[in-house]
Amino acid sequence: MSTRVLVLGHSFIKRLYKDILNRWKPNLVQHLNLRHAGVQVRFLGFPGGNIDRLLEDEQNRLRQEMIRFPPDIVVLQIGGNDLDSKKIDMSVYIEKVSRFIGILQTTYLVKKVVVSEIFPRLFLRAKTCPIVYHHGKYLIDQYFYLSLADHPSVSFWYHKSRLTAQEKLFMSDGVHLNVGGTRRFFKSLRGAVMSVL
């Protein structure tokens, strides 16, 4: 029996999926190169996606995907668009992510959830101070890393500095990953899934 994985989040996920279909050999990488391990992977990314959009699911895209492809594991890549906002309250954000994880586990019966590290940004869209963004990123990542350390069904995944600390991996907009960054993101997501198999 195969393990079903949904990689869910913001535009990085949508861009990764498009890169897999358009630039790489889809039959080789479509399932994060884990098909031999019995893993099926689907991607659902929302441009500009944030935690409120996932919770509200106004167009029922998430609900429809969860019904069509009920995942055993969800890898959640979210947070950058929330932090790149003038009105972020980190404690409210953390509470919403925790509530969303609860929905995944109780409503959709997801067995394991992986919360991924928030990506840094070289440029911010909102008039937020970069120091505030990166300090918030650090605090939120640390909170989830420490609070999920012994959780039996939810874990935290660091993408590691070889991906998140290198400016050369970002596009000129300073937000999105370029082709090289997307390839490293692919490998990191593969590692995240392997960590919970």
Side-chain angles (χ1 to χ4, degrees), residues 33-151:
N33 280 352
L34 292 171
R35 198 164 209 168
H36 66 281
V39 176
Q40 293 181 328
V41 181
R42 299 273 291 262
F43 300 88
L44 182 60
F46 299 90
N50 58 31
I51 193 61
D52 288 331
R53 189 163 176 197
L54 291 178
L55 284 167
E56 293 162 7
D57 193 26
E58 289 178 356
Q59 297 174 340
N60 287 320
R61 285 184 57 206
L62 176 61
R63 184 178 189 289
Q64 290 169 2
E65 184 66 21
M66 298 298 270
I67 291 168
R68 273 193 307 265
F69 183 79
D72 301 298
I73 300 168
V74 170
V75 178
L76 183 61
Q77 181 67 60
I78 201 80
N81 293 319
D82 296 276
L83 276 172
D84 193 353
S85 167
K86 287 183 179 180
K87 56 183 191 240
I88 180 79
D89 179 327
M90 286 187 283
S91 61
V92 171
Y93 170 79
I94 288 168
E95 183 274 324
K96 287 179 178 181
V97 171
S98 299
R99 187 167 30 138
F100 183 68
I101 292 168
I103 290 168
L104 291 174
Q105 293 183 315
T106 57
T107 303
Y108 298 114
L109 306 178
V110 173
K111 294 175 187 147
K112 295 183 181 176
V113 178
V114 179
V115 178
S116 297
E117 174 185 11
I118 297 171
F119 274 87
R121 292 195 171 183
L122 305 179
F123 304 112
L124 300 175
R125 294 179 175 162
K127 301 298 181 213
T128 309
C129 172
I131 294 169
V132 171
Y133 177 94
H134 290 97
H135 184 67
K137 170 202 166 341
Y138 172 79
L139 291 175
I140 291 168
D141 288 343
Q142 282 296 301
Y143 172 83
F144 282 117
Y145 171 73
L146 294 171
S147 67
L148 300 175
D150 297 319
H151 199 287

